[in-house]
Every structure is written in structure tokens, then in C-alpha cells.
Amino acid sequence: MSRIATPATIADAPTQSQPLLDAVKAQLGVVPNMFRLISTSPQALEGYLGMSGALGKGALPAPTRERIALAVAEVNGCSYCLSAHTYLGKHVAKLDDAEMTANRSGASNDPVADAAVHFAAKLTQERGRVSEADLAAVRLAGYTDAQLIEIVQHVALNTWTNYLNVAFATDIDFPVVEVRKAA
């Protein structure tokens, strides 16, 4: 049970948040619990949607973004985000179970994506303190400096949602996937 009251419907959310939640519903067909929870602060919801939308237009393909989200959720111990991104990974990014299992371990079965996922997991584990060798490895796989910045931004955004959902015990409204290890 959530530790903060989550608006049950769009109409129950703060007035400023309602158009943003309407847009989420138009895009996804539903408004997941996390979005309704965030809507408690219209500014936080606007910030999250703005950053998420901007990154969606970035250079990293959607499957790589989902791979990163799975790795970060596992490292941070967030079952809500792991459940959501497992669902999105399978149904939107078309990742198979073997790939998502590798992603949760900070790897990928795709050699190019592996470098990004490994780098994202290392960023999360080391709180940004990566080595020159870590940077060289992801660059060697062909990632540009702009893509490296996007990877860091995806890690930051996913870490924020992980912390939010862990701190407030957001009720999981996707098929539940539990983290394998304690964070």
C-alpha cells in the first residue's frame, strides 16, 4: 500500500496536473499509479514528463532506453519500475525474456547495446564515478559524447522514479516482477 495518498482518478488529482494526466492517458490508454502519485506535485509531473519527452526524441533507440531502465531498476531495487519496464520492454520495445534477463544483470545480448547497458549499470552502482576505462569502452562501441550524456540523463531520470516508487511504496499496476537482490 502506497505511503502517500495517490489520486484515484484524473479528476482527483490537483487541477494543474489534470491536463498532463489526460495527455498520459491519451498516449498510454491508462494512467499508471506512478503518474497519479507524481501528479500530487504538478511541477514534479511537468518536470518528469518534460524530461522523459525530450529524451524520447534523443539519439538512443527505444530498446536501449528500456534496457537501461531495467538495469537501473535492478541496481536500485525498484520492483515498480522493474515491473513497468519489463512490460514496456516486452510489449513496446519487443525485447525477449533472455535479453531482459541480461539487462537486469547490467548487460545485453546485443554487443552495441551491451556497452550502453554496462555503462548505465556502472554509473548507477558507482553514483557517477566511472573510470576512463569505462568511458573508453562505451566510446569503442560507437557511442558519441551526446549519447553518453543521454545515457547519464536516462540513469538520472530512472533513478529518480526508482527512488520515488521505493520511498512511497507505489502500488504496482503492471504484472509484478520482483528485484533479484537487495539494493
Side-chain angles (χ1 to χ4, degrees):
M1 177 174 223
S2 181
R3 297 168 78 187
I4 286 185
T6 301
T9 67
I10 293 172
D12 295 329
T15 304
Q16 285 181 282
S17 292
Q18 291 176 12
L20 299 171
L21 293 176
D22 284 334
V24 169
K25 185 173 184 180
Q27 183 178 11
L28 301 178
V30 297
V31 182
N33 288 339
M34 182 187 81
F35 291 91
R36 287 187 286 108
L37 173 69
I38 298 169
S39 78
T40 302
S41 167
Q43 295 74 21
L45 181 61
E46 182 179 0
Y48 172 73
L49 292 173
M51 185 180 295
S52 182
L55 287 172
K57 299 175 198 169
L60 296 176
T64 299
R65 296 191 308 261
E66 289 306 319
R67 289 172 171 117
I68 289 169
L70 288 164
V72 172
E74 187 72 46
V75 170
N76 285 330
C78 182
S79 293
Y80 185 94
C81 292
L82 193 58
S83 300
H85 290 288
T86 297
Y87 181 85
L88 293 170
K90 179 177 265 185
H91 298 286
V92 177
K94 305 300 182 195
L95 301 175
D96 63 31
D97 290 340
E99 177 63 15
M100 290 188 287
T101 297
N103 302 155
R104 291 178 63 186
S105 298
S108 174
N109 297 320
D110 174 277
V112 174
D114 183 63
V117 175
H118 181 80
F119 184 66
K122 183 84 180 255
L123 275 165
T124 307
Q125 292 160 347
E126 301 299 325
R127 298 180 184 170
R129 292 174 181 84
V130 293
S131 69
E132 289 297 326
D134 296 323
L135 288 171
V138 75
R139 284 181 172 135
L140 185 62
Y143 288 91
T144 66
D145 288 349
Q147 289 171 313
L148 292 175
I149 290 170
E150 286 182 30
I151 292 169
V152 172
Q153 196 67 44
H154 280 286
V155 168
L157 185 61
N158 281 287
T159 295
W160 181 77
T161 60
N162 295 167
Y163 285 9
L164 178 99
N165 290 306
V166 170
F168 301 125
T170 308
D171 292 329
I172 300 173
D173 49 352
F174 294 91
V176 175
V177 178
E178 296 289 345
V179 295
R180 293 190 294 234
K181 58 188 174 200

